[in-house]
């Protein structure tokens, strides 16, 4: 059902195919993003125009509200993947916008049942921040892509 | 022209975030609203709209709102764009006026007075040492500079230690203001930026003292700093221990773990064990 609504929204809001790919990869579905989806998007980051659209959408998703914590979590996962396997421009974007990731280190969302969905986001944001601040480690991890 | 009309769309959004962060409920300022304020200052490389938004909030008369405003300001000072610290210097009177506003009856009045005093001291420090960012994150060039000029380094460390004492005084006050059996969320949430502040200062002092020990070779001159550092280390250890007993606090931030023994200031490598 939600998938149908999303596909209507995609058309209604006039998103490009690239943006739709990012939206699907970072949706509110229980599963994903799959390696296949992330791989496809990371290839697109080597094209300047597509890159802007991808980062724009990731930015939107990262700033989503608590109820959509899955958007935030999945965008972090995707961004982490792009940071390792995408173009160098992704690294530059992340460094310029590190505050978006940094400020997620205190992300909070507790649902009606009292389950804390923020924790995994806080941990992920912490890991990514320290990776972004450590140029040597980042370079090493980017050159050794087999880790993924 | 109505006032609302003179604000651009983003500024209107920002003022909503400020209003929601300083709402009347006795809870922590919601992270998402505080975060929007922080992200705004980075997006626009400016904090003018944030300060304007704060000034326009009808805060006076409600201690909870004033206290939440102080927490929000503290967080934006720490995590926001460097321009926040600069613009804050023109808002000292405003911060001071927040400290004068509490009604004498509530349990927040003392906290508000002390919090505003603390923020003024922090801003005073940043004015004298503009190379530091809001979180005192370690930047190599500063410690290099202070090694070249030991006098300046000595002074910077003294000022940092004074600020650390101010954190210590404030957190004691918060702990003594906690009430049994009531939700202390709002008061406890002021400890979150205090933990970040103290840990940033702590790490900076450690690396600066190490650098100075390595270059000046004048142990005697540094003795007073060392003594003061050791006592601060012990008190910080207690503070973090006290924090770790507050369940609400441990669920939102990781409390830094210090080693039981103070770190060795005479070597770069050895993390534990006395010299």
């Amino acid at each position: 059902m939600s998938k149908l609504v999303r596909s209507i929204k995609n058309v209604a809001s006039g998103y490009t195919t690239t943006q739709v790919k990012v939206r699907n990869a970072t949706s509110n579905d229980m599963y994903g993003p799959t390696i296949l989806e992330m791989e496809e998007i990371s290839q697109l980051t080597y094209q300047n125009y597509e890159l802007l659209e991808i980062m724009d959408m990731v930015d939107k998703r990262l700033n989503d509200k608590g109820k959509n914590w899955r958007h935030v979590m999945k965008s972090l996962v995707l961004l982490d993947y792009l940071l390792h396997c995408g173009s160098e421009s992704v690294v530059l974007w992340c460094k310029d916008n590190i505050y978006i990731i940094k400020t997620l280190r205190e992300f909070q969302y507790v649902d009606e049942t009292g389950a804390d969905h923020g924790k995994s986001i806080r941990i992920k944001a912490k890991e990514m921040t320290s990776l972004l601040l450590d140029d040597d480690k980042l370079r090493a991890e980017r050159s050794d892509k087999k880790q993924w | 022209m109505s006032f609302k009309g003179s604000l651009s769309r983003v500024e209107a959004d920002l003022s909503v975030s400020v209003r929601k962060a300083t709402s009347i409920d006795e809870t922590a300022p919601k992270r998402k609203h505080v975060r929007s304020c922080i992200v705004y200052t980075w997006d626009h490389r400016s904090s003018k709209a944030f300060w304007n938004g704060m000034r326009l909030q009808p805060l006076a008369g409600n201690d909870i709102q004033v206290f939440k405003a102080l927490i929000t300001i503290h967080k934006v000072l720490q995590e926001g764009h460097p321009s926040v610290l600069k613009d804050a210097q023109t808002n000292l009177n405003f911060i001071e006026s927040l400290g004068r506003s509490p009604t004498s009856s509530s349990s927040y009045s003392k906290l508000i007075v002390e919090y505003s005093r603390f923020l003024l001291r922090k801003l005073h420090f940043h004015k004298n040492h503009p190379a530091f960012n809001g979180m005192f994150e370690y930047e190599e060039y500063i410690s290099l500079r202070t090694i070249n000029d030991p006098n300046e380094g000595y002074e910077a460390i003294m000022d940092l230690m004074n600020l650390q004492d101010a954190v210590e005084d404030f957190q004691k006050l918060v702990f003594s203001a906690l009430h049994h059996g009531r939700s202390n969320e709002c008061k406890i949430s002021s400890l979150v930026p205090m933990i970040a502040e103290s840990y940033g200062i702590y790490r900076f002092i450690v690396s600066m003292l190490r650098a100075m020990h390595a270059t000046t070779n004048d142990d005697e001159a540094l003795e007073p700093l060392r003594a003061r550092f050791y006592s601060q280390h012990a008190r910080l250890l207690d503070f973090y221990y006290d924090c770790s007993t507050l369940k609400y606090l441990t669920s939102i931030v990781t409390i830094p773990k210090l080693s039981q023994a103070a770190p060795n200031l005479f070597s770069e490598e050895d993390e534990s064990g006395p010299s």
Side-chain angles (χ1 to χ4, degrees):
Chain A
M1 182 58 201
S2 68
K3 264 192 180 156
L4 184 68
V5 174
R6 199 185 322 137
S7 69
I8 295 171
K9 269 193 195 164
N10 285 340
V11 176
S13 322
Y15 290 123
T16 62
T17 35
T18 307
Q19 287 180 315
V20 169
K21 277 180 190 139
V22 177
R23 279 170 60 81
N24 285 339
T26 58
S27 68
N28 258 332
D29 299 333
M30 295 286 280
Y31 55 84
T34 63
I35 288 286
L36 221 65
E37 283 173 325
M38 295 198 289
E39 172 60 29
E40 205 182 343
I41 295 169
S42 82
Q43 286 310 314
L44 289 168
T45 60
Y46 287 91
Q47 302 166 32
N48 268 335
Y49 184 68
E50 310 288 351
L51 174 86
L52 288 180
E53 291 192 338
I54 292 169
M55 298 328 283
D56 223 35
M57 192 50 71
V58 169
D59 179 45
K60 248 184 219 143
R61 292 294 214 197
L62 283 176
N63 289 316
D64 221 325
K65 52 187 167 197
K67 200 180 68 170
N68 291 327
W69 58 273
R70 280 201 181 87
H71 288 174
V72 183
M73 185 61 204
K74 287 185 181 182
S75 309
L76 282 177
V77 172
L78 173 66
L79 193 57
D80 199 16
Y81 185 90
L82 297 181
L83 203 52
H84 285 84
C85 304
S87 76
E88 194 72 33
S89 314
V90 178
V91 180
L92 291 175
W93 187 91
C94 287
K95 283 183 181 283
D96 276 348
N97 297 288
I98 191 168
Y99 60 93
I100 294 177
I101 302 165
K102 257 188 175 175
T103 46
L104 287 173
R105 290 180 301 184
E106 282 180 41
F107 183 91
Q108 292 168 34
Y109 182 68
V110 179
D111 68 11
E112 311 85 66
T113 63
D116 179 7
H117 295 297
K119 190 167 188 195
S120 48
I121 292 174
R122 294 197 291 271
I123 293 172
K124 190 86 190 157
K126 229 171 266 173
E127 284 172 4
M128 287 182 67
T129 308
S130 60
L131 180 64
L132 280 170
L133 294 174
D134 188 344
D135 281 329
D136 295 335
K137 193 172 165 211
L138 183 59
R139 210 173 308 122
E141 290 195 9
R142 274 178 66 81
S143 58
D144 183 17
K145 287 180 181 140
K146 281 187 202 113
Q147 286 185 10
W148 283 86
Chain B
M1 191 169 68
S2 80
F3 176 68
K4 266 243 155 62
S6 68
L7 292 177
S8 70
R9 174 72 201 281
V10 269
E11 281 165 353
D13 284 350
L14 179 74
S15 76
V16 170
S17 299
V18 172
R19 195 182 74 224
K20 289 190 170 171
T22 58
S23 71
I24 201 159
D25 315 309
E26 188 172 5
T27 54
K30 270 219 179 122
R31 175 65 187 172
K32 67 172 164 184
H33 304 307
V34 178
R35 181 173 181 271
S36 326
C37 296
I38 296 167
V39 169
Y40 175 91
T41 65
W42 286 98
D43 282 346
H44 300 268
R45 306 272 183 279
S46 152
S47 66
K48 294 246 157 42
F50 168 72
W51 288 107
N52 283 339
M54 261 306 165
R55 279 163 168 278
L56 289 171
Q57 286 305 305
L59 298 169
N62 188 303
D63 287 356
I64 290 170
Q65 281 183 288
V66 175
F67 192 62
K68 284 169 83 169
L70 289 166
I71 297 174
T72 309
I73 292 174
H74 193 187
K75 294 219 123 193
V76 177
L77 286 175
Q78 284 186 330
E79 297 178 61
H81 187 263
S83 66
V84 184
L85 283 175
K86 231 190 276 157
D87 292 341
Q89 301 296 342
T90 60
N91 284 287
L92 295 177
N93 287 333
F94 168 64
I95 294 170
E96 202 192 343
S97 74
L98 288 178
R100 278 198 306 264
S101 61
T103 54
S104 53
S105 53
S106 82
S107 61
Y108 283 92
S109 48
K110 189 99 180 63
L111 288 175
I112 289 171
V113 174
E114 287 306 316
Y115 208 154
S116 108
R117 200 170 289 164
F118 171 80
L119 288 181
L120 291 175
R121 292 179 77 166
K122 177 177 167 70
L123 290 171
H124 186 71
F125 174 87
H126 286 293
K127 192 182 173 192
N128 292 339
H129 304 275
F132 285 86
N133 71 11
M135 282 282 214
F136 306 98
E137 269 151 332
Y138 180 63
E139 307 207 22
E140 201 122 15
Y141 76 95
I142 298 183
S143 75
L144 286 178
R145 220 182 61 191
T146 52
I147 296 166
N148 289 335
D149 183 357
N151 288 326
E152 195 190 332
Y154 199 97
E155 217 164 284
I157 293 177
M158 281 307 261
D159 286 350
L160 277 170
M161 285 177 162
N162 290 339
L163 202 58
Q164 189 77 301
D165 282 344
V167 174
E168 157 100 10
D169 292 343
F170 182 79
Q171 60 92 357
K172 284 232 167 87
L173 202 64
V174 173
F175 275 100
S176 67
L178 299 183
H179 286 289
H180 256 299
R182 242 195 284 168
S183 165
N184 292 309
E185 202 184 297
C186 184
K187 286 171 191 158
I188 293 175
S189 67
S190 68
L191 293 175
V192 175
M194 289 298 167
I195 293 172
E197 187 103 5
S198 61
Y199 192 55
I201 297 174
Y202 169 79
R203 278 187 319 181
F204 211 103
I205 291 179
V206 170
S207 42
M208 249 172 161
L209 276 179
R210 278 199 176 135
M212 287 181 78
H213 277 91
T215 48
T216 56
N217 285 323
D218 190 353
D219 289 351
E220 222 160 292
L222 294 172
E223 169 57 30
L225 286 185
R226 262 202 314 277
R228 195 162 169 205
F229 171 74
Y230 292 140
S231 85
Q232 279 194 339
H233 176 270
R235 277 177 289 154
L236 208 54
L237 207 62
D238 286 345
F239 171 37
Y240 293 157
Y241 175 78
D242 289 341
C243 288
S244 67
T245 61
L246 298 170
K247 198 165 159 280
Y248 169 69
L249 196 59
T250 52
S251 72
I252 46 175
V253 286
T254 339
I255 293 164
K257 280 209 168 58
L258 303 187
S259 61
Q260 203 66 40
N264 182 0
L265 299 172
F266 293 95
S267 103
E268 301 281 324
E269 317 297 329
D270 190 12
E271 273 295 303
S272 58
S275 55

